[in-house]
Amino acid sequence: MASIFSRIIAGEIPSYKVAEDDRFYAFLDINPLAKGHTLVVPKKEVDYLYDLDDETLAGMILFAKKIAARIRRETGCKKVATVVLGLEVPHAHIHLIPMNDENDVDFHKEKLSLTPEEFNEIAEKLSR
Ligand code: AMP
């Protein structure tokens, strides 16, 4: 069965899309640690990041770099944390999280609850 991220990429499940090219898709995490928390995924469905072929892995980092620059521009954060962790969704993904303090990247802390309007506004800003 296709992963939830493959279904998002296929448009079967809605997402707050930030960017897309022929190989990668970026969208807002629905349970964000901060405004601008974005997931970058390869369209190719591979569970473990380091099982991606070298060219796809390298391309994914370069794609993430572009999105990270937009997150920094729009949020004014000091840096964008780049995190690969979690076992929840078996489809490789990179979390990009605005960071001003190391504690901003604590996955155990309570997630933000944003309205659809807020998600849309952030996605729109990050898509430019
Ligand atoms: P993990 O595998 O632990 O990195 O968790 C997967 C991440 O995907 C979590 O941060 C979830 O909030 C996020 N997530 C799961 N389903 C969706 C969805 N439908 N739209 C956006 N983000 C999602």
Side-chain angles (χ1 to χ4, degrees):
M1 207 180 90
S3 77
I4 188 163
F5 292 166
S6 287
R7 298 184 64 203
I8 284 174
I9 293 162
E12 294 167 18
I13 293 175
S15 69
Y16 297 99
K17 182 166 116 176
V18 167
E20 175 177 22
D21 70 7
D22 55 330
R23 290 187 298 167
F24 307 106
Y25 192 92
F27 57 107
L28 298 182
D29 194 305
I30 206 72
N31 302 302
L33 282 173
K35 279 188 174 182
H37 182 167
T38 299
L39 299 175
V40 172
V41 300
K43 289 188 172 177
K44 191 186 285 188
E45 187 176 322
V46 169
D47 178 2
Y48 179 48
L49 187 80
Y50 292 122
D51 282 337
L52 288 169
D53 62 87
D54 289 357
E55 201 184 322
T56 304
L57 178 61
M60 189 168 164
I61 298 295
L62 295 178
F63 185 83
K65 180 181 177 180
K66 277 192 281 188
I67 309 304
R70 296 183 198 172
I71 293 172
R72 202 171 184 210
R73 180 194 70 204
E74 290 300 330
T75 67
C77 65
K78 283 188 186 159
K79 290 187 179 179
V80 175
T82 300
V83 181
V84 178
L85 92 174
L87 299 167
E88 194 189 308
V89 178
H91 187 142
H93 52 285
I94 294 174
H95 293 260
L96 297 176
I97 305 159
M99 173 177 62
N100 293 299
D101 183 284
E102 281 179 19
N103 294 322
D104 293 344
V105 189
D106 174 2
F107 278 82
H108 297 298
K109 89 178 176 193
E110 201 178 331
K111 309 298 186 296
L112 294 184
S113 159
L114 303 178
T115 64
E117 290 73 25
E118 287 174 304
F119 275 117
N120 275 323
E121 188 187 339
I122 300 163
E124 198 275 319
K125 284 181 178 160
L126 295 182
S127 64
R128 303 187 224 128

